[in-house]
Amino acid sequence: MPKMTNCNLNGKSVTVNEALRLRDDARSGKIANPNFVCDECHQPVRPHKTGGHASAHFEHLERNPQCSQSDVARK
């Protein structure tokens, strides 16, 4: 299972920790909702916090079988 730890936001690479902070700022109304995209296929992704057996990572909103960063288990 790939663990994407960087994505693209407005042409800039951001880490998952930075993305989680931006997402939280958006939820509190401090900034507009960020549109994170995969560095490889440029499809929308979302950040996930560390939990259970998984470390913090990005996940595609919809699986992209052509992208090596897309989780094969995700539908």
Side-chain angles (χ1 to χ4, degrees):
M1 175 176 176
K3 293 288 186 204
M4 190 182 338
T5 57
N6 288 296
C7 80
N8 191 291
L9 176 63
N10 301 324
K12 178 185 169 205
S13 182
V14 295
T15 66
V16 68
N17 290 329
E18 184 178 2
L20 288 166
R21 183 185 55 76
L22 292 169
R23 182 194 67 185
D24 291 344
D25 285 350
R27 287 180 175 172
S28 67
K30 293 179 185 176
I31 63 169
N33 197 30
N35 294 313
F36 303 113
V37 296
C38 176
D39 282 333
E40 183 178 325
C41 70
H42 307 289
Q43 295 300 308
V45 295
R46 66 175 158 240
H48 288 272
K49 293 181 181 179
T50 299
H53 299 290
S55 57
H57 64 282
F58 291 98
E59 197 171 280
H60 286 80
L61 298 184
E62 292 185 22
R63 190 171 95 72
N64 179 355
Q66 287 79 38
C67 181
S68 69
Q69 297 296 312
S70 191
D71 185 356
V72 296
R74 185 153 176 83
K75 295 185 180 184

